Amino acid sequence: MSDESRAKPPPERAPYGHEIIQGYLATLDSSPGVYRMLDAESRVLYVGKARNLRARVSNYARPTGHSARIARMIRETASMMFLTTRTETEALLLEQNLIKQLKPRYNVLLRDDKSFPNILVAKDHAYPQIRKHRGAKTSKGAYYGPFASAGAVNRTLNQLQKVFLLRNCTDSMFEGRSRPCLLYQIKRCSAPCVGYISEEDYAASVSDAEKFLQGRTTGVQEKLAAEMAAASDAMEFERAAAMRDRIRALTQVQSAQGINPRVTGEADVVALHLEGGQACVQVFFIRAHQNWGNQDFYPRVGADIDEAEVLEAFLGQFYDQKEPPRQILLSHAIENEDLMTEALSEKAGRKVELLVPQRGEKAELIEGAARNARESLGRKMAESATQTKLLKGVADAFGLPEMPNRIEVYDNSHIQGTNAVGGMIVAGPDGFMKNQYRKYNIRGDELTPGDDFGMMKEVLKRRLKRLQKEDPEKDKGLWPDLLLIDGGAGQVSAVQQILDEMGVPDLPMVGVAKGVDRDHGKEEFHRPGTRPFALRMNDPVLYFIQRLRDEAHRWAIGTHRAKRSKQISANPLDDVPGVGSTRKRALLAHFGSAKAVARANLSDLKAVDGVSDSLAETIYDYFHAST
């Protein structure tokens, strides 16, 4: 070795971990704020909040004294970003927003964060409609909820119809009735559409329904019992029997709700169970002293995390887009209880309490929710073990280098080429990932109707273009480890052509075709460059593939039916600029049908109540532009 080479100093190592973190301390003060820890490729590892940024970051600058998870995170940190806020509450809210947007690897992450349905008593009509509502509360009326699931809402609505006989039809259907519908015949509606009940009596039924949803059930039951007795005394036995049936339906609603606390009027019951590096959070919705259902969540956690950190992260993300109730009952105390209380109260515009009850009815509610969380996590862990075994079997059957964590399955649906749609479902270690399902309206005008090959090509092209845009480095977990295509050699060849064109020829892909008899259990599997093969009739992997294919078929068929139904029920007036639901009702009431509106002359259109001269001209021009 020459003297020159011996004298040459080694290349400088870029600072990492606590060394790089130490360098930021000189630029930080004691302000509250949010910090982000990034790796060498500027990917966000962790988002955190701090009452005092300098004090918080100095903890990470220490080389020792950290849990295994935090130590690993610090070692991967190559840079940091900071944002100061005016208050700690602002820091908490900003932290939760960033976590939901960036999904950092080392944060506790709520993976299933959806909106919850409500019951809406619409107040924009003389005869209010009662219906399920999800999303922004923009419609005029009274909202009751949230309910844990659409099923919980549907069950309650079903019983409320039996008790209070309120309509659930749309306004356009209501206006177009000339005789009662089937719901009146089966005693689920009082037929206000044809005047079988007065506006005053219907309003009284609406008021009783709202009292029930507010928890004031005793008065409603007493009123119905008095009406039943009066009808019986007047020898109106048919009416008395109807009152009796409504009382029974009301009792059935209350018994079906299970837990109906006497003391707790409005609360969310939030209980956590941690085991084996996994977590389950069970949430019960208590409103108006009634149990409106429960839902379980499985946030992403680490093996060395405690209950306080998981619950605090869950609360921040769960209530980010939801209005918190007056009380939130917790199974475990959280570290920043005062800060979380302040943030939730500010969001709700009223006082919100966080409680960890130790005795009484509230403690019993927590105990029941915790038991549900423990049992739900046990079932999920057992299902995950089975799912992992099946995925390993898929890898062995199709020659994959490792167990697939993301399988995408594609199918098309159409009727002789009309209303063609493509469907994609996704499965992984946790089962079906329904929030990842996608539907594709086939756009190709040049496609021959019924061209399944062409439809599959269009769907795959659009999917791969989006993947290349959203995850070009294939490091976000968005790319599939296996594509399953419903079809045989022809479909596989068409898909392989697309993969080659898009620059991903090595993406694993298998075509699933029914055998010669087109029976379950005789499927043939096609891979590019290999001969078709089959699995044993009793192979669990074969049953698993059948389930995946059937789910993709169900999803594609359902999407196609929804599209076809929407087309069938479409009204030409829906596309006319300036014509909303109110003016559409007025036009239909005046002319009788959309076809008659299209044929009407300008002077007749101007004669409709609520239609201005300019709007009448717009409607006339819309239907006569091409003539």
Side-chain angles (χ1 to χ4, degrees), residues 504-517:
V504 286
D506 298 329
L507 191 62
M509 179 259 298
V510 175
V512 185
K514 292 181 179 178
V516 290
D517 297 326

Side-chain angles (χ1 to χ4, degrees), residues 111 278 298 376-392 403 428-431:
R111 292 179 286 191
Q278 298 188 52
Y298 301 92
S376 295
L377 184 58
R379 287 192 296 270
K380 183 175 178 61
M381 292 173 73
E383 291 168 1
S384 296
T386 302
Q387 189 80 357
T388 299
K389 186 176 180 180
L390 288 170
L391 291 173
K392 288 179 178 178
M403 183 189 84
D430 293 328

Side-chain angles (χ1 to χ4, degrees), residues 315-466:
L315 293 176
Q317 294 174 52
F318 184 74
Y319 291 110
D320 181 50
Q321 300 295 329
K322 301 178 183 69
E323 182 179 343
R326 298 184 185 279
Q327 286 188 340
I328 301 175
L329 310 182
L330 303 176
S331 59
H332 301 82
I334 61 175
E335 183 178 349
N336 298 294
E337 181 181 331
D338 56 340
L339 185 58
M340 184 64 70
T341 299
E342 183 180 346
L344 295 178
S345 299
E346 183 177 307
K347 178 178 178 59
R350 50 175 166 71
K351 184 179 180 182
V352 174
E353 288 185 290
L354 295 180
L355 303 174
V356 185
Q358 303 298 318
R359 62 181 66 85
E361 180 184 85
K362 292 182 172 63
E364 292 175 5
L365 292 174
I366 282 292
E367 183 182 348
R371 182 176 62 255
N372 274 270
R374 182 175 64 253
E375 293 171 354
S376 295
L377 184 58
R379 287 192 296 270
K380 183 175 178 61
M381 292 173 73
E383 291 168 1
S384 296
T386 302
Q387 189 80 357
T388 299
K389 186 176 180 180
L390 288 170
L391 291 173
K392 288 179 178 178
V394 169
D396 293 338
F398 299 142
L400 303 180
E402 57 186 6
M403 183 189 84
N405 285 307
R406 183 182 176 94
I407 299 176
E408 293 185 357
V409 192
Y410 294 85
D411 194 12
N412 299 322
S413 182
H414 60 91
I415 294 179
Q416 296 181 342
T418 62
N419 297 311
V421 296
M424 177 192 83
I425 68 141
V426 184
D430 293 328
F432 291 118
M433 302 159 64
K434 296 194 175 183
N435 61 339
Q436 299 287 312
Y437 287 16
R438 296 293 181 268
K439 57 186 177 183
Y440 297 87
N441 290 314
I442 304 300
R443 301 170 180 165
D445 297 330
E446 71 283 357
L447 289 179
T448 303
D451 181 3
D452 285 330
F453 290 178
M455 284 187 266
M456 186 61 70
K457 284 183 177 182
E458 179 182 329
V459 170
L460 262 295
K461 272 188 176 180
R462 287 163 60 185
R463 173 62 179 156
L464 292 172
K465 282 181 181 178
R466 177 170 285 275

